[in-house]
Each structure stands twice: as C-alpha cells, then as structure tokens.
Amino acid sequence: MRIGVLAVQGAFAEHIDVIKKLGEEAFEIRNTGDLDIPFDGLILPGGESTVMKKLLHDLDLFEKLKEKINSGLPVLGTCAGMILLAKNIDSGEESCFGTMDITVKRNAYGRQLGSFVCTDSFADEDITMRFIRAPYVTETGIGVEILAEHDNKIVAVRQNNQIATAFHPELTDDHTVYNLFFRMIENKAAK
Ligand code: GLN
C-alpha cells in the first residue's frame, strides 16, 4: 500500500520512516502535483495545526485533500493532525477539515504537563503513548468510537475512514496504531 504523508510542517519524516520500516510505501505530500499518483491512505502529522492549516490553503491542498477524506480515503491524524480533522475546537477557533465529529481542546495539558509518556489501553491493547503539547477530545458525536482514554480524557478516536490520536505513534516503537490504520486500508480495498 502507498501512504501519503502531509509534509508541509511538523513530524512527517518520522511517520515516513515508520511506514517504510513496516514494509509499506510512503511519500511526502508537499504540493498538488504530489496528488497525481494514486494512494491508499493519508497521514496528517503532529506539528503546529495553525501553521499547517494556513499552508494547506496557501498550497491549494485543502479542498483536494478534504474531498478525498470525504470520499472515504483512510486518514490517520496524530496530535496536530487530530486538530485538523476535528469539526470543532473548544476555544471557538475555526476548524480545518472538520470531517470528524469531535470537539478538541488544543494544548490541553497546560505548560507543566506539556510533554509526557504513559502506558494506557488503545483498542484493547496496552501501548506507550507520547504526548507533546497535545490536544484531547472533549466531545464526540454519534458514530465516533473511542479507542483510548488517558486520565479520563479521550485521546484516540475512530469515525468511519478516520483515526485520530492526541499522542505521537511515530515517536515510539509501538506500531499498534499503524497496524490498525493499515487494517482499515486493507478492509477498504477488500470491499
Ligand atoms: N499544540 C499543537 C497544535 O495545537 C499540537 C502539538 C503537536 O502536534 N505535537 O497544533
């Protein structure tokens, strides 16, 4: 399978490394020309969501990627990527793609706890989660499945073709999140 990783800002190189390590193909999406060759899944990485949102518009990628997500392209959003997918941001900021029926709180852990690592259950498996100035989910709409909670806060969700995590799976050796994403892509291909 071939996975496109949004590569305008943030931790895209780390995602590409992991995907290749897991034996799949990955490429950078930097401009509209990169969308010419078909691909099976999209990753929206961690970074700074406000910067990524601006660049998505400036580079003319926004509408094209939103259309793909809406038409069922499997997508994994991590940290800032979760914010890009969210329909609502609790501060009232304007959303980006808004394709996932969740409300997120940005920089939700405050300065003290800005970055931390923990182990918690993700889709019934204990995994290591690395959080960096992470959001969490404050509300979920109908059809949104909660995949993980930490400290009673929702930190991973799935809705149809979309998975979002508040933590950074590309920065640990645990590949559970990728395996779930790959399975989502395979299931779609089998239909
Ligand atoms: N705080 C960042 C934002 O709001 C997200 C942090 C991250 O992706 N590590 O965009």
Coordinates of all heavy atoms in Angstrom, one line a residue, residues 34 46 60 67 78 84-85 102 112 124 131 139 143 151 155 161 165 168 173:
D34 N 1.9 16.4 -6.1 CA 2.1 15.1 -5.4 C 0.9 14.2 -5.3 O 1.0 13.1 -4.9 CB 2.6 15.4 -3.9 CG 4.0 16.1 -3.9 OD1 4.8 15.8 -4.8 OD2 4.2 17.0 -3.1
G46 N 1.8 15.4 13.5 CA 1.9 16.4 14.5 C 2.7 17.5 14.1 O 3.5 17.5 13.1
D60 N -2.9 25.2 -1.9 CA -4.0 24.7 -2.7 C -4.3 23.3 -2.4 O -4.9 22.6 -3.3 CB -3.7 24.9 -4.2 CG -4.9 25.4 -4.9 OD1 -5.9 25.7 -4.3 OD2 -4.9 25.3 -6.2
E67 N -11.8 16.7 -0.1 CA -12.6 15.9 -0.9 C -12.2 14.4 -0.9 O -13.1 13.6 -0.8 CB -12.4 16.4 -2.4 CG -13.4 16.0 -3.4 CD -13.0 16.6 -4.7 OE1 -13.0 17.8 -4.9 OE2 -12.7 15.8 -5.6
T78 N -2.5 12.6 13.7 CA -1.9 12.5 15.0 C -1.6 13.9 15.6 O -1.0 14.7 14.9 CB -0.5 11.7 14.9 OG1 0.4 12.4 14.0 CG2 -0.8 10.3 14.3
L84 N -6.6 19.1 13.0 CA -7.0 19.4 11.6 C -8.3 18.7 11.2 O -9.1 19.2 10.4 CB -5.9 19.0 10.6 CG -4.6 19.7 10.7 CD1 -3.6 19.2 9.7 CD2 -4.8 21.3 10.6
L85 N -8.5 17.5 11.7 CA -9.7 16.7 11.4 C -10.9 17.1 12.1 O -12.1 17.0 11.7 CB -9.4 15.2 11.6 CG -8.4 14.5 10.7 CD1 -8.2 13.1 11.2 CD2 -9.0 14.4 9.3
I102 N -15.9 15.5 16.2 CA -15.3 15.7 17.6 C -15.0 17.1 17.9 O -14.8 17.9 17.0 CB -14.0 14.9 17.8 CG1 -12.9 15.3 16.7 CG2 -14.2 13.4 17.7 CD1 -11.5 14.7 16.9
Q112 N 2.9 22.8 32.4 CA 3.6 21.9 33.3 C 3.7 20.5 32.7 O 4.7 19.8 32.6 CB 2.8 21.8 34.6 CG 2.9 23.0 35.4 CD 4.3 23.2 36.0 OE1 4.9 22.3 36.5 NE2 4.8 24.4 35.9
D124 N -8.0 -1.9 23.2 CA -7.8 -3.1 24.0 C -6.4 -3.6 24.1 O -6.2 -4.7 24.5 CB -8.8 -4.2 23.5 CG -10.2 -3.8 23.6 OD1 -10.5 -3.1 24.6 OD2 -11.0 -4.2 22.8
F131 N 3.0 12.2 24.5 CA 2.2 13.4 24.3 C 3.1 14.6 24.2 O 4.0 14.7 25.1 CB 1.2 13.6 25.4 CG 0.1 12.6 25.5 CD1 0.3 11.3 26.1 CD2 -1.2 12.8 24.9 CE1 -0.7 10.4 26.1 CE2 -2.2 11.9 25.0 CZ -2.0 10.7 25.6
E139 N -15.6 16.3 23.3 CA -16.9 15.8 22.9 C -16.8 14.9 21.6 O -16.0 15.2 20.8 CB -17.9 17.0 22.5 CG -18.5 17.6 23.7 CD -19.3 18.9 23.3 OE1 -20.3 18.7 22.5 OE2 -18.9 20.0 23.7
G143 N -21.5 8.0 16.1 CA -20.6 7.4 15.1 C -19.2 7.5 15.4 O -18.4 7.0 14.6
D151 N -6.3 9.3 31.8 CA -6.8 10.2 32.9 C -8.2 10.7 32.6 O -8.5 11.9 32.8 CB -5.8 11.4 32.9 CG -4.8 11.2 34.0 OD1 -4.9 10.3 34.8 OD2 -3.9 12.1 34.1
V155 N -8.3 10.3 24.1 CA -7.1 10.6 23.4 C -6.9 9.9 22.1 O -5.9 10.1 21.4 CB -5.8 10.4 24.3 CG1 -5.8 11.4 25.5 CG2 -5.7 9.0 24.8
N161 N -13.7 6.2 8.1 CA -12.4 6.1 7.5 C -11.3 7.0 8.2 O -10.2 7.1 7.7 CB -12.5 6.6 6.0 CG -13.0 8.0 5.8 OD1 -14.0 8.3 6.5 ND2 -12.4 8.8 5.0
T165 N -5.3 10.4 16.9 CA -4.7 10.2 18.2 C -4.2 11.5 18.7 O -3.6 12.3 17.9 CB -3.6 9.2 18.1 OG1 -2.5 9.7 17.4 CG2 -4.0 7.9 17.5
H168 N 1.7 10.7 19.8 CA 2.5 10.6 18.6 C 3.0 9.2 18.4 O 4.1 8.8 18.9 CB 3.8 11.5 18.8 CG 3.5 12.9 18.6 ND1 3.9 13.6 17.5 CD2 3.0 13.8 19.4 CE1 3.6 14.9 17.6 NE2 3.0 15.1 18.8
D173 N 8.2 2.9 19.7 CA 8.5 1.7 18.9 C 7.2 0.9 18.8 O 7.2 -0.3 18.3 CB 9.6 0.9 19.6 CG 10.9 1.5 19.4 OD1 11.1 2.3 18.5 OD2 11.8 1.3 20.3

